[in-house]
């Protein structure tokens, strides 16, 4: 995973790729490297070829395209053994009639996301810096992983995802309260709704289980404004003392 979908942490995929290449040169055998680049595509500057990965997955719905449409980058697009068989579509890699409308929509969304990417990335960084400063001013707020907003450089994180906790308040309670205020935050990634799975990433980063259980995920998008984030902070200032 190039960008963690719960904390926004950028993973050292290129470093892993270099290590695997050294292992291969030393006679350790060829190891294929795949990365989930869904949270990175169209949001942070990167090239799969420069990362050194063999395959990378991207998705349309994270950049304004339709749900259920994605693409797989192959560094060496030669013949491989794939899970599904039975048709000759897509060079024999994936059987079934191609979703032309979905493919076009992904390509169009990708082109729009690529246009002005550095500028939008800078704008998102400025919004996230303001959100972090506001959260740090709230009594009891803990940014996760520990060190974000204090010692860890923000360049190690995506400017679109933030994890915060207000222990001992359960994250589920804060999610419901903020929803009543008109703000949709979550207790983790949408694909990890079960509580045990939800805390796994944070616990692996060193957070105690009690702190992880108090965490909420706050994400921003290309249309998020500074006024909206200030509204979220104001709602937190108003509601947290009574919880």
């Amino acid at each position: 995973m190039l960008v963690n979908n719960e904390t926004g942490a950028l993973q050292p995929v290129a470093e892993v790729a270099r290590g695997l290449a050294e292992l291969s040169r030393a006679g350790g055998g060829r190891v294929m490297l795949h990365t989930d680049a869904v949270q990175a595509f169209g949001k942070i500057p990167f090239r799969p070829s420069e990362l050194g990965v063999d395959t990378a997955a991207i998705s349309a719905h994270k950049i304004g395209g339709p749900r259920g449409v994605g693409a797989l980058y192959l560094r060496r697009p030669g013949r491989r053994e794939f899970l599904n068989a039975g048709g000759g579509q897509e060079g024999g890699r994936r059987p079934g009639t191609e979703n032309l409308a979905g493919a076009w929509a992904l390509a169009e969304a990708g082109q729009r996301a690529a246009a002005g990417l550095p500028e939008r990335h800078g704008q998102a960084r400025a919004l996230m810096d303001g959100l972090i400063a506001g959260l740090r001013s709230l009594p009891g707020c803990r940014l996760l992983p520990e060190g974000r907003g204090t010692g860890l450089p923000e360049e190690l994180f995506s400017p679109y995802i933030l994890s915060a906790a207000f222990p001992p308040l359960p994250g589920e309670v804060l999610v419901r309260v903020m929803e009543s205020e008109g703000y949709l935050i979550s207790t983790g990634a949408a694909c990890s709704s079960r509580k045990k799975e939800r805390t796994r990433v944070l616990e692996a980063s060193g957070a105690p289980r009690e702190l992880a259980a108090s965490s909420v995920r706050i994400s921003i998008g290309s249309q998020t404004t500074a006024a909206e984030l200030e509204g979220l902070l104001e709602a937190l200032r108003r509601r947290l003392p009574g919880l």
Side-chain angles (χ1 to χ4, degrees):
M1 185 175 288
L2 186 53
V3 174
N4 185 271
N5 57 348
E6 292 188 42
T7 66
L10 274 63
Q11 305 300 311
V13 174
E15 182 179 338
V16 172
R18 288 193 295 270
L20 291 176
E22 292 176 4
L23 177 65
S24 178
R25 287 192 294 269
R30 179 82 171 92
V31 179
M32 303 291 291
L33 178 60
H34 171 77
T35 186
D36 175 344
V38 170
Q39 287 287 0
F41 180 61
K43 295 183 177 182
I44 64 172
F46 82 99
R47 292 179 182 273
S49 58
E50 295 176 357
L51 290 176
V53 298
D54 296 288
T55 60
I58 61 174
S59 184
H61 75 281
K62 293 296 184 182
I63 55 171
R67 293 183 179 182
V69 180
L72 179 67
Y73 161 83
L74 299 173
R75 185 169 68 167
R76 295 185 178 90
R79 185 76 181 182
R80 300 178 187 273
E81 182 178 349
F82 291 88
L83 293 177
N84 300 315
Q89 293 88 350
E90 300 190 42
R93 299 182 182 92
R94 187 176 187 274
T97 302
E98 291 95 337
N99 179 5
L100 294 180
W104 178 88
L106 171 57
E108 180 67 19
Q111 290 178 345
R112 294 186 181 188
L117 176 59
E119 180 182 359
R120 287 199 316 278
H121 186 267
Q123 293 170 347
R125 181 69 69 196
L127 289 174
M128 182 57 72
D129 288 345
L131 176 60
I132 289 175
L135 288 172
R136 289 188 61 202
S137 70
L138 299 177
C141 179
R142 304 271 294 275
L143 300 183
L144 302 172
E146 297 280 8
R148 185 169 187 181
T150 53
L152 295 176
E154 269 303 296
E155 289 73 19
L156 297 178
F157 298 90
S158 166
Y160 292 93
I161 303 172
L162 177 69
S163 182
F166 297 85
L169 181 67
E172 292 85 353
V173 173
L174 188 57
V175 167
R176 291 195 296 269
V177 171
M178 287 298 100
E179 183 177 5
S180 70
E181 293 284 339
Y183 296 96
L184 299 180
I185 60 177
S186 67
T187 54
C191 52
S192 299
S193 58
R194 287 185 294 176
K195 187 173 182 180
K196 185 176 181 180
E197 293 181 355
R198 179 173 68 80
T199 63
R200 176 178 57 84
V201 169
L202 295 174
E203 289 182 46
S205 70
R209 177 167 296 185
E210 296 76 14
L211 183 60
S214 179
S215 67
V216 293
R217 176 184 183 269
I218 304 173
S219 60
I220 66 176
S222 60
Q223 297 180 332
T224 303
T225 66
E228 290 170 335
L229 294 180
E230 180 54 40
L232 170 64
L233 291 169
E234 178 56 36
L236 288 169
R237 295 187 192 103
R238 187 174 66 255
R239 298 299 301 270
L240 281 172
L243 298 177

